[in-house]
Amino acid sequence: MEAAAGLLPGAPLSKSKDKWSGVASGSDYYEDDEDEKDIEGLGRHPGIPNGSSSGIVKIDMPAPLREEPRFPKEKWKTFLAFLFMVVNFILTTASLAMVHERVPDRNTYGSLPDVVLDNVTAQDWALNVSEVLIMIMSNSAMVFIIFHKHRFIIARRIFLLMGLLYMMRSVTMYVTVLPIASKTYYCSPKANNTSPLLVTKRVLQLISGFGLSINGKHTYCGDYIYSGHTVVLVLSYLIIKEYSPRRCQPIHWLAGLAVLVGVIMVLVAHGHYTVDVLIAYYVTTRLWYIYHTLANNPNLKQYGPNNFLARLWWFSIFKYFEKNVGGTVPRQYDWPLPWPRRFLAKHPNRDS
């Protein structure tokens, strides 16, 4: 009876939330680990060999109906999301290239009153520490994405979120230009014009240094509201916290500590005003939580009179990228490369 019950249509399949699945699948959908086992087990009776003529009538049954959500890879959507992020990153650098000409002269205008900066002596080395932590955190988050079984879904979510954050930042720092917070940070001389050629050269220079001062390419000032350093640090932590195995609690705590130190170092270096950091934290976390609330609840992916989140200006973009994702993405992991299959095939399932 137990064996028969397992073949009933719609019978749920038990799964571990954190699971190592061996090797990445090359199909358009992410396959569950039990799929092949369930199909092979159909039509068999315990204790009776295949092809036995002992009077047992073998009835071919269709595969059990699935209630679990399916997760299409949709690699082309991931590529579109990547392009969306790149375009908005370029837009942000172009905004900075133009804002640099409008920054108040710090020899005439001092920095704004700030409860933290006014009580902390500026330390130029602290900005390098913050950017080293940014590189460590962002690369760590990338590793977890690469080894996640549903890496294409996770990657396009991150690309989309970063694109939205870059887009909003390009607007906020352009509309209101603040005086330079640091008295020692080097700012390139102004050209007193904003020709397309000049903006293009500055954009290429900023992109070549990935927007970091430690590379010696970020020599333009005025990108204050809101803090890009804080955005990358907080977003990296949220990725690690959400998409890494639950057993990685020490890593989660370490990542949180790294973010805290990184943000403090930005303020110690007078790289941003305190309000820049607070706004960046708020915008990044609110966008992350709202996006994942929508993504994890199928009912919220539809327009309706009671779904007020559907009134968000970016909801149509979200709906396009997430409409085929059937539910909460499980914490499952596998090897991202097609080799070495023969070594991993011996132990296809391992708890994370």
Side-chain angles (χ1 to χ4, degrees):
M1 293 297 292
E2 294 178 358
L7 301 177
L8 290 177
L13 302 176
S14 60
K15 291 183 174 62
S16 172
K17 294 235 177 195
D18 295 352
K19 185 171 289 185
W20 180 278
S21 305
V23 186
S25 170
S27 64
D28 293 333
Y29 283 83
Y30 292 102
E31 299 295 337
D32 290 336
D33 302 322
E34 286 82 359
D35 286 354
E36 186 175 349
K37 297 178 184 178
D38 293 339
I39 295 174
E40 290 176 353
L42 292 177
R44 297 184 184 177
H45 192 280
I48 299 177
N50 291 335
S52 173
S53 57
S54 57
I56 299 297
V57 178
K58 180 178 178 180
I59 302 175
D60 292 332
M61 297 180 63
L65 298 176
R66 298 183 56 92
E67 292 183 354
E68 298 86 358
R70 302 303 295 267
F71 302 97
K73 295 181 180 180
E74 298 180 307
K75 297 179 182 180
W76 57 280
K77 281 189 178 181
T78 303
F79 178 70
L80 289 179
F82 174 75
L83 290 181
F84 178 78
M85 179 191 69
V86 171
V87 168
N88 284 289
F89 178 70
I90 294 174
L91 184 62
T92 300
T93 56
S95 179
L96 173 58
M98 292 183 288
V99 163
H100 179 74
E101 296 298 321
R102 298 166 50 209
V103 173
D105 186 355
R106 62 180 158 192
N107 294 323
T108 305
Y109 300 92
S111 60
L112 296 176
D114 188 286
V115 69
V116 175
L117 273 55
D118 290 346
N119 293 282
V120 176
T121 303
Q123 304 292 334
D124 293 338
W125 56 264
L127 188 60
N128 291 339
V129 173
S130 175
E131 295 188 346
V132 168
L133 290 173
I134 285 176
M135 290 186 283
I136 293 173
M137 287 291 294
S138 58
N139 283 287
S140 299
M142 189 183 303
V143 168
F144 283 111
I145 294 173
I146 291 173
F147 282 93
H148 199 287
K149 181 176 180 180
H150 306 284
R151 61 186 64 85
F152 290 103
I153 296 175
I154 308 306
R156 67 173 171 264
R157 287 180 176 179
I158 305 309
F159 293 151
L160 183 57
L161 288 169
M162 291 189 69
L164 292 172
L165 289 166
Y166 281 135
M167 180 190 295
M168 292 186 290
R169 184 169 184 256
S170 68
V171 174
T172 57
M173 71 182 187
Y174 182 81
V175 296
T176 302
V177 184
L178 302 182
I180 301 172
S182 172
K183 294 181 174 64
T184 57
Y185 186 84
Y186 174 76
C187 296
S188 295
K190 295 182 181 182
N192 296 321
N193 73 82
T194 54
S195 65
L197 180 60
L198 176 67
V199 172
T200 301
K201 288 181 178 179
R202 290 179 175 179
V203 166
L204 292 176
Q205 178 179 330
L206 289 166
I207 292 176
S208 66
F210 297 98
L212 297 177
S213 303
I214 197 172
N215 296 316
K217 302 293 184 179
H218 194 300
T219 59
Y220 304 108
C221 298
D223 55 336
Y224 287 112
I225 300 177
Y226 42 87
S227 168
H229 289 69
T230 304
V231 166
V232 176
L233 285 167
V234 173
L235 188 62
S236 298
Y237 168 76
L238 292 171
I239 294 169
I240 294 173
K241 183 70 168 61
E242 178 66 25
Y243 294 115
S244 65
R246 298 185 189 277
R247 299 181 181 184
C248 295
Q249 288 295 334
I251 295 179
H252 299 166
W253 284 100
L254 188 60
L257 179 62
V259 170
L260 180 61
V261 173
V263 171
I264 291 175
M265 290 297 103
V266 170
L267 295 175
V268 170
H270 290 200
H272 276 281
Y273 292 102
T274 306
V275 68
D276 304 339
V277 171
L278 295 177
I279 294 174
Y281 170 80
Y282 183 83
V283 171
T284 305
T285 54
R286 294 319 99 174
L287 186 61
W288 177 275
Y289 295 144
I290 292 172
Y291 188 99
H292 284 76
T293 298
L294 291 169
N296 293 340
N297 293 274
N299 293 335
L300 296 180
K301 295 181 181 181
Q302 306 299 325
Y303 291 98
N306 297 321
N307 183 12
F308 289 88
L309 293 177
R311 301 181 186 182
L312 292 164
W313 67 266
W314 48 265
F315 183 80
S316 296
I317 303 174
F318 158 82
K319 191 173 185 297
Y320 171 75
F321 283 99
E322 292 284 344
K323 63 181 178 180
N324 295 328
V325 180
T328 303
V329 175
R331 297 178 187 240
Q332 297 176 339
Y333 311 89
D334 65 15
W335 182 252
L337 301 176
W339 48 269
R341 288 182 181 274
R342 66 177 183 273
F343 297 110
L344 294 176
K346 296 179 180 179
H347 303 286
N349 297 321
R350 286 181 286 177
D351 291 337
S352 301

